[in-house]
Amino acid sequence: MKRTIALPATALAVLSLAACEDATGPDNDEFHFNPRVIEGEWRGQALPGDLLEIKGISGDIQASASLDQEIVVKWTKRGQQDDPASVSVQVVQHANGITICAVYPDVPGQPDNECLPGDFGHMATQDIDVDVDFTVTVPAGVDFRGRTISGDINADHLRGDVEGATVSGDVSITTSELAEASTISGSIEASIGRSDWDRDLAFTTVSGSLSVSIPANTNAEVWATAVTGSVSSDFSLPVLHDGSIRGTLGSGGALLRLSTVAGSVRLRRGS
């Protein structure tokens, strides 16, 4: 499917770029169908407290725990009619960590696309049917943020704070620390390992269900809502007249917000 996406612009200098790519795959001109694949890899070091951020436009993001302090990021670019080489992968090293982006060709007459930490920056894409899938290993103590427009995000058994955000796709997160997630069209499943929270956490979708697991001894405020769908909890929390749940766990603290429009919400008791 071809797509056009426009996002807001900001500015930051690219401090470092490292990528190595090899193209493989046959051409088939008989049906004007050219499935082509380009693969690449980047390796680097990170310290506890650093942030590793992966930002895509179309494609999945898969993150898993690293056995050491090395970050390994691999990507696969696939194009059907369009050339996957037209989409670049850029690596930006900055004071807070590392940001890696799939950068699509610029739209004539608009600002050049940039790989920027923190938000999507300017990424107005031409009508290109190239998907970029990322697989990432994340060291212990390194925070991870995965963002894409069309694609799933899966962060499996990480040992740092995790944030996953997509527009069209599912989000799945398991971490020993804190997590947040959002999608517009898709479901969210998450497991948080930390019971002491230093900030509010939110899990939101518009069309999809939520299932979030937190430690049994968590101290927090909870507000869970579903416009068309059920809300349930393994904890004893007050149910309001509209079916939502709002109450206090333990001695209270930061707010846990669970919200969907069309779907179910379940708050689960973890270990």
Side-chain angles (χ1 to χ4, degrees):
M1 176 185 296
K2 294 191 174 184
R3 55 187 65 81
T4 301
I5 302 167
L7 297 169
T10 56
L12 186 75
V14 175
L15 303 180
S16 174
L17 172 64
C20 176
E21 301 183 333
D22 296 308
T24 60
D27 290 343
N28 183 347
D29 294 329
E30 182 178 355
F31 298 103
H32 304 287
F33 180 72
N34 271 334
R36 288 171 287 184
V37 176
I38 296 178
E39 296 180 338
E41 179 179 302
W42 181 89
R43 293 173 179 262
Q45 299 290 322
L47 298 175
D50 285 348
L51 171 67
L52 172 60
E53 183 179 39
I54 305 294
K55 299 197 297 186
I57 295 292
S58 178
D60 299 335
I61 299 174
Q62 171 75 47
S64 59
S66 173
L67 298 178
D68 51 31
Q69 288 306 116
E70 184 179 40
I71 294 172
V72 180
V73 180
K74 298 181 180 181
W75 57 86
T76 302
K77 301 187 293 188
R78 294 182 175 87
Q80 302 300 326
Q81 296 179 357
D82 295 313
D83 186 357
S86 64
V87 178
S88 66
V89 174
Q90 297 181 7
V91 180
V92 179
Q93 294 178 316
H94 48 85
N96 295 325
I98 300 164
T99 298
I100 300 177
C101 309
V103 179
Y104 285 65
D106 300 328
V107 174
Q110 297 195 29
D112 291 347
N113 291 333
E114 298 178 88
C115 182
L116 304 172
D119 62 15
F120 275 103
H122 178 82
M123 288 189 178
T125 71
Q126 297 182 27
D127 289 337
I128 293 177
D129 71 345
V130 176
D131 294 335
V132 183
D133 295 327
F134 289 94
T135 59
V136 188
T137 60
V138 185
V142 173
D143 297 336
F144 176 75
R145 179 185 295 148
R147 294 181 175 179
T148 188
I149 300 297
S150 177
D152 297 335
I153 297 175
N154 189 314
D156 188 27
H157 290 92
L158 300 190
R159 291 164 290 174
D161 290 353
V162 179
E163 178 187 343
T166 182
V167 173
S168 178
D170 299 329
V171 181
S172 175
I173 297 173
T174 306
T175 179
S176 62
E177 300 301 315
L178 302 181
E180 292 189 81
S182 65
T183 181
I184 300 298
S185 178
S187 295
I188 295 173
E189 185 168 353
S191 176
I192 296 172
R194 262 182 61 184
S195 60
D196 56 323
W197 301 357
D198 54 7
R199 66 179 188 274
D200 296 343
L201 303 178
F203 297 86
T204 64
T205 182
V206 174
S207 178
S209 296
L210 303 175
S211 177
V212 177
S213 175
I214 62 175
N217 60 340
T218 297
N219 297 310
E221 302 294 331
V222 175
W223 186 16
T225 62
V227 176
T228 58
S230 63
V231 179
S232 62
S233 172
D234 292 349
F235 299 87
S236 296
L237 291 168
V239 179
L240 305 183
H241 67 279
D242 61 357
S244 65
I245 290 176
R246 189 159 192 172
T248 301
L249 296 178
S251 59
L255 175 66
L256 172 62
R257 180 79 169 95
L258 309 175
S259 175
T260 184
V261 174
S264 62
V265 175
R266 181 177 182 188
L267 179 61
R268 306 183 66 177
R269 185 193 304 268
S271 58

